[in-house]
Amino acid sequence: MTEEKKTYYITTPIYYPSSNLHIGHTYCTVMADAMARFKRLSGYDVHFLTGTDEHGQKIETLAEAKGVSPQAYVDEIVEGIKKLWATMEISYDDFIRTTEPRHIKRVQAIFMKMYENGDIYKGEYEGLYCTPCESFWTESQLVNGCCPDCGRPVQAAKEEAYFFRLSKYADKLLELFEKNPDFLQPESRRNEMVSFIKQGLDDLCISRSTFDWGIPVPIDKKHVIYVWLDALTNYITALGYPDEPELYNKYWPADVHLVGKEIVRFHSIIWPAMLMSAGLPLPKQVLGHGWLLLGGEKVSKSKAAKAGDVVDPVVLIDRYGIDALKYFLLREYTFGQDGVFTNEVMLKRMNYDLANDLGNLVSRTVSMIEKYCGGTVPKADTSDEIDEDLKKIAVGAAAKVEEQMDKFAFNMALEEIWILVRRANKYIDEKAPWVLAKDESRKAELDTVMHNLAEAIRIISILIYPFMHSTSKEIRKQLGLWYADVEWKDAFVFEMMGGEQVKKGPQLFPRLDIEKELAELAAVHQQMEAAKEAEKAASAPAEPAGAEQGKPEITYEDFDKIDFRVGKIVKAEKHPQADKLLVFQVKIGTETRQIISGVAQSYTPEEMLGRQVIVVTNLKPRKLRGLESRGMLLFADNGERVEIVTTEAPDGNVVS
Ligand code: MSP
């Protein structure tokens, strides 16, 4: 009888196909892919799901602006997303689109289950709606009058709608968080969610009737199902629930939903409540990762820095390869925390860790085995302290990698592997094989060195497999191991090699001239921006910008009521109660006042310090999470991140 493998079900969020994905989106999928590959290699039966979240008002509006049907609009972008995942060799087992019939019928079945359980009722919704996030908010939830998730303006909206009795599940949710400390990680997100629930949960509006692009409510075709309810169910509709439950029975509950920090609330409160309502088991864990902050300012004042960074993964892969990009994403950032993405940081990682450390180790070793041993990996007959130290680190690395992967600490798992890579490089310097080679009587020692290096690299090739499988294969080819399967258990033993024919191959990672690369990337960035502008101009409706924003015309007198002044930020710090807010002390002429802005996701306090900014000074003061804000700073929003508007004029000057 064959033993049943343990299952492991991992998911990414399903992405909005509103525009092409950038490097930030690929971050989560690359982590999920590494974990899926790691679990497969460790003997699990893995199911890895990703997909696209295709309904909602935003898509409908974008399609309209482009003059195509929503379906045609998403089809084109989804094709691009699938192509991107293929290019990045993402090993998903299923890709679910929320416009697929299999999903639509199952969402409706789940809706009916919740309805029949008495958890859905009809009412009227009046609130503030953020279209990009497809979320309703109450006045008190807004930050600076804008959506607390994305910082964009909200619109007043009122409609007849269906509601989900989310409030009914508050106690059960609190119990879930209390009894399962690991259900949601990291800890900071967990605390945030617990206090969110403790403030009281309102019932959730789960239908819309002001647009059509969605799944019809089965009991009332005038309404479509709220896009988040539609989207969250993907994790079980893709498994065939409820009508073809074979995969569902095998893989549900999910081991982990990997999601970005801003959608943790949907996954750890709304989704579990929906499952409770439908009488289904809950996922075992939700993990919220941080953001890559794009367009981060660099220390360098080179042209490249000013021109901005390339964040299109296709361009980066084209220039540097899939494995280099994956390595960088997994090595550079700490799970759960935000990190600044710049091309410079990326190139440095690629050069130092990949070209210098790993690439050199492999090419030096293969060349030496060719030169000193006729290309055949020798056996080892001698041993000293240095040899033993290398062996100890090599055979101990896999367990350390496992320990870090259990915590989703991809960066630390790679660091453990690089401890071995660096040790092996040092071993070459300590042993100086070129000296041993000059002395015939030391041939046995030389053989040991070559053998041990080959063993260490063999182990490295296994350890890096979940993160960089192509590089792993290339290394194995060069080591003469091309015929052998990569097996995790082989990373725990040292004495395996002897007799293999090595063969020098292409350089694994060419050394990059960072200044030159940055200049070229800056040029690419400029070209891409210009192309985007041209496309925008070609498709822009012949309306003034104000109308496009949906804001009514104002008179000169209206405008003149606003007092704009130049201010200088003399102090900047994080808001103690809210991680989206920064608290500034702004000097405006002789006066210094406190102003709070919801820009912590785009700027660190240090980046804001000393800036000459434009302040709306006569705005009614308001309290934001306990601190008073007297005025507002002007920012420009490019849809991705907000940029501070600055000036060189001295503080106190009137802006008119
Ligand atoms: N469609 C919803 C998810 C529904 S899941 C049932 C959605 N889509 S999204 O396309 O806007 O975002 C998908 C994921 O990409 C989110 O987890 C988000 O955090 C992540 N990222 C988008 N920009 C990012 C960065 N700059 N950095 C890291 N992750 C980022 O939300």
Side-chain angles (χ1 to χ4, degrees):
M1 209 177 82
T2 55
E3 207 187 315
E4 285 259 311
K5 277 188 180 179
K6 266 175 79 176
T7 60
Y8 187 80
Y9 180 28
I10 182 166
T11 67
T12 72
I14 50 174
Y15 297 91
Y16 288 130
S18 41
S19 57
N20 291 337
L21 302 188
H22 55 62
I23 190 84
H25 296 110
T26 68
Y27 176 51
C28 182
T29 300
V30 163
M31 286 192 281
D33 183 61
M35 188 51 82
R37 287 178 186 275
F38 173 71
K39 290 287 178 184
R40 285 190 202 108
L41 198 55
S42 320
Y44 284 79
D45 173 346
V46 171
H47 195 72
F48 169 16
L49 176 71
T50 189
T52 40
D53 182 0
E54 307 186 8
H55 292 123
Q57 186 167 14
K58 186 177 177 194
I59 299 276
E60 190 178 89
T61 311
L62 285 167
E64 227 164 69
K66 208 177 167 195
V68 296
S69 70
Q71 189 66 57
Y73 183 88
V74 292
D75 281 351
E76 191 184 326
I77 296 180
V78 171
E79 201 185 314
I81 294 177
K82 283 188 166 175
K83 228 161 112 191
L84 173 65
W85 297 152
T87 305
M88 296 187 80
E89 296 173 357
I90 300 299
S91 63
Y92 60 76
D93 296 290
D94 194 3
F95 187 107
I96 180 117
R97 298 183 58 179
T98 55
T99 49
E100 286 176 71
R102 63 167 173 158
H103 176 74
I104 293 172
K105 67 175 181 188
R106 290 170 187 159
V107 172
Q108 290 179 322
I110 294 164
F111 186 101
M112 286 312 291
K113 234 178 203 170
M114 294 164 66
Y115 179 70
E116 279 152 15
N117 287 345
D119 282 342
I120 291 179
Y121 64 92
K122 197 173 186 178
E124 191 169 67
Y125 196 87
E126 201 170 350
L128 298 158
Y129 195 65
C130 173
T131 306
C133 293
E134 311 274 8
S135 288
F136 268 109
W137 300 103
T138 60
E139 184 77 44
S140 65
Q141 288 172 318
L142 302 183
V143 174
N144 270 357
C146 292
C147 169
D149 273 352
C150 72
R152 294 185 179 92
V154 290
Q155 282 88 37
K158 182 175 173 178
E159 59 187 63
E160 180 191 71
Y162 287 86
F163 285 82
F164 167 46
R165 289 188 204 283
L166 182 61
S167 56
K168 175 175 152 187
Y169 292 97
D171 290 343
K172 274 192 163 178
L173 287 166
L174 275 180
E175 197 185 312
L176 166 71
F177 281 99
E178 267 152 31
K179 287 202 174 145
N180 305 282
D182 286 339
F183 171 70
L184 172 62
Q185 284 293 322
E187 204 56 26
S188 56
R189 300 279 154 231
R190 185 171 170 264
N191 297 339
E192 229 175 76
M193 290 305 118
V194 168
S195 60
F196 189 89
I197 301 170
K198 283 188 176 160
Q199 280 165 23
L201 292 180
D202 292 330
D203 286 350
L204 180 72
C205 177
I206 53 158
S207 75
R208 301 285 182 266
S209 56
T210 47
F211 62 90
D212 299 325
W213 184 237
I215 300 177
V217 168
I219 47 167
D220 188 342
K221 301 282 155 66
K222 288 196 303 294
H223 295 259
V224 293
I225 296 176
Y226 172 43
V227 68
W228 268 101
L229 191 113
D230 164 357
L232 286 163
T233 60
N234 90 88
Y235 302 125
I236 56 175
T237 63
L239 296 179
Y241 181 84
D243 52 306
E244 282 180 62
E246 198 185 318
L247 290 178
Y248 172 82
N249 291 336
K250 185 171 180 191
Y251 293 112
W252 191 257
D255 289 85
V256 61
H257 291 317
L258 268 190
V259 300
K261 60 180 188 176
E262 85 285 19
I263 58 173
V264 158
R265 187 172 62 88
F266 293 96
H267 285 81
S268 64
I269 295 181
I270 297 174
W271 177 224
M274 285 167 60
L275 289 163
M276 287 172 186
S277 168
L280 301 174
L282 309 185
K284 291 179 204 158
Q285 195 172 41
V286 175
L287 289 180
H289 63 76
W291 281 356
L292 303 197
L293 303 176
L294 309 179
E297 290 213 344
K298 297 184 203 130
V299 185
S300 144
K301 287 275 174 283
S302 67
K303 262 191 192 162
K306 283 187 201 137
D309 292 294
V310 172
V311 298
D312 182 338
V314 177
V315 177
L316 298 174
I317 290 168
D318 213 36
R319 295 178 74 95
Y320 309 113
I322 309 157
D323 281 7
L325 190 67
K326 280 187 187 167
Y327 172 81
F328 163 70
L329 290 172
L330 295 166
R331 176 65 188 88
E332 185 66 28
Y333 302 102
T334 303
F335 192 96
Q337 292 176 17
D338 289 348
V340 175
F341 173 86
T342 68
N343 290 158
E344 190 172 345
V345 178
M346 177 190 77
L347 294 169
K348 282 185 173 158
R349 268 277 172 222
M350 291 174 176
N351 248 6
Y352 299 151
D353 297 6
L354 297 177
N356 284 4
D357 291 348
L358 181 61
N360 263 347
L361 173 66
V362 175
S363 76
R364 284 162 95 191
T365 301
V366 171
S367 301
M368 288 191 292
I369 295 176
E370 283 183 342
K371 191 164 164 199
Y372 304 137
C373 311
T376 307
V377 178
K379 283 279 184 196
D381 279 331
T382 66
S383 180
D384 66 12
E385 252 175 44
I386 299 174
D387 299 314
E388 290 310 311
D389 187 51
L390 175 70
K391 276 188 215 174
K392 198 176 92 203
I393 290 171
V395 295
K400 291 186 174 153
V401 171
E402 284 173 2
E403 202 183 309
Q404 298 298 347
M405 290 299 274
D406 277 348
K407 297 186 276 189
F408 278 74
F410 299 95
N411 59 340
M412 295 314 293
L414 284 164
E415 175 56 21
E416 290 297 348
I417 304 172
W418 254 251
I419 288 175
L420 172 58
V421 172
R422 290 192 293 263
R423 181 66 192 90
N425 271 323
K426 192 167 153 226
Y427 177 82
I428 300 181
D429 299 338
E430 287 167 343
K431 288 286 183 178
W434 45 91
V435 176
L436 301 177
K438 287 194 187 127
D439 184 347
E440 207 27 59
S441 71
R442 302 185 77 182
K443 175 78 174 108
E445 275 176 73
L446 179 64
D447 282 353
T448 296
V449 174
M450 293 302 117
H451 171 88
N452 288 350
L453 284 169
E455 285 287 1
I457 295 173
R458 178 187 60 77
I459 289 176
I460 290 165
S461 78
I462 300 169
L463 300 178
I464 63 169
Y465 184 84
F467 313 98
M468 300 190 275
H469 65 277
S470 304
T471 302
S472 163
K473 283 184 191 147
E474 178 55 34
I475 292 176
R476 295 173 75 81
K477 204 163 128 195
Q478 296 197 21
L479 272 190
L481 283 171
W482 53 270
Y483 54 86
D485 284 342
V486 175
E487 297 218 37
W488 190 250
K489 66 174 174 34
D490 293 345
F492 293 84
V493 280
F494 203 77
E495 301 300 340
M496 290 189 82
M497 297 194 68
E500 292 81 2
Q501 291 299 309
V502 303
K503 190 165 180 353
K504 212 161 165 65
Q507 235 181 339
L508 294 178
F509 299 98
R511 234 193 114 68
L512 303 164
D513 176 339
I514 294 183
E515 281 306 310
K516 181 170 156 271
E517 290 299 324
L518 282 176
E520 285 181 21
L521 284 172
V524 172
H525 175 83
Q526 262 170 358
Q527 276 164 15
M528 290 173 76
E529 288 301 302
K532 251 196 251 166
E533 282 306 312
E535 198 182 323
K536 240 197 242 163
S539 63
E543 285 176 18
E548 199 188 328
Q549 299 300 318
K551 290 189 183 169
E553 189 175 274
I554 58 167
T555 61
Y556 178 79
E557 284 71 26
D558 286 337
F559 175 74
D560 201 36
K561 284 182 196 157
I562 308 173
D563 187 9
F564 292 108
R565 302 270 169 139
V566 177
K568 179 174 181 171
I569 298 182
V570 291
K571 191 169 173 202
E573 56 197 340
K574 289 186 174 160
H575 191 299
Q577 309 291 345
D579 61 6
K580 292 193 175 105
L581 301 180
L582 293 182
V583 184
F584 305 113
Q585 302 303 324
V586 185
K587 178 174 169 291
I588 306 161
T590 52
E591 177 204 357
T592 298
R593 59 163 82 184
Q594 176 164 289
I595 298 177
I596 300 175
S597 307
V599 292
Q601 276 150 0
S602 298
Y603 288 100
T604 61
E606 298 74 44
E607 286 173 318
M608 293 294 290
L609 198 64
R611 297 215 186 208
Q612 302 280 119
V613 295
I614 298 183
V615 188
V616 178
T617 58
N618 59 339
L619 201 63
K620 195 170 157 197
R622 56 182 303 183
K623 275 207 162 166
L624 290 166
R625 295 281 179 102
L627 293 182
E628 189 177 50
S629 179
R630 291 176 52 231
M632 188 190 255
L633 307 187
L634 294 196
F635 289 87
D637 187 347
N638 70 357
E640 231 10 287
R641 81 175 233 139
V642 286
E643 303 271 352
I644 180 76
V645 177
T646 56
T647 170
E648 284 172 4
D651 67 79
N653 275 19
V654 175
V655 181
S656 58

